[in-house]
Amino acid sequence: MAAVSSNPNRGKVQTIRSSLPYQILLYCNGWYFAFYWIAEILLFVFKGETLPYPSGVLSAEVILLFFIAGLEFIRIFFGQKGNLTERMISVLLSIFLSIPSLFGIVYLLLWQTYVLRVEVILAAIELAFIGLEFIFGILSVVTFARATPY
């Protein structure tokens, strides 16, 4: 007599819906943003020592940089976990957190008191990461939404 299996999913094929390009972008952006943040801190030290700043502006821009760092950490964390667990809500949260992160980087690119050429290059690369992650995040949400629940 054959043994009856207690696992109802035995023999069924499960499709992996998480996006490898999205995961790679999030991973690389985590490392790149750490480099970007350190470079910006060092550039703020340089600009604070060599350029005349109005009172309170340098500290406000540094506080903004710390806020963006926390926001990016949370955004990348939810994007990675949502993609790996195939949960739409986490990826959607990561997509929505991309918007304030995008505006913070654009502020550092265009509207801070002094913008150096190296900052333009670093911020443009970060904006490219955020834009690509936004697109791949939407594609992941669509893929997760089309999947049948299990």
Side-chain angles (χ1 to χ4, degrees), residues 110-122:
L110 300 175
W111 299 309
Q112 67 175 321
T113 307
Y114 298 105
V115 181
L116 302 177
R117 186 171 298 171
V118 68
E119 288 179 304
V120 171
I121 295 167
L122 292 173

Side-chain angles (χ1 to χ4, degrees), residues 26 40 55 65 81 103 128 137 141 145:
L26 289 167
E40 278 292 326
S55 65
L65 187 63
K81 294 303 175 189
F103 283 126
V141 167

Side-chain angles (χ1 to χ4, degrees), residues 78 81-92 141 144 150:
F78 278 119
K81 294 303 175 189
N83 186 38
L84 291 176
T85 59
E86 299 176 3
R87 302 286 183 234
M88 257 188 350
I89 192 71
S90 296
V91 178
L92 281 173
V141 167
F144 300 157
Y150 52 90

Side-chain angles (χ1 to χ4, degrees), residues 36 41 60 90 95 98 102 108 117 122 140:
Y36 173 79
I41 290 293
S90 296
I95 290 170
S98 295
L102 181 86
L108 292 176
R117 186 171 298 171
L122 292 173
S140 295

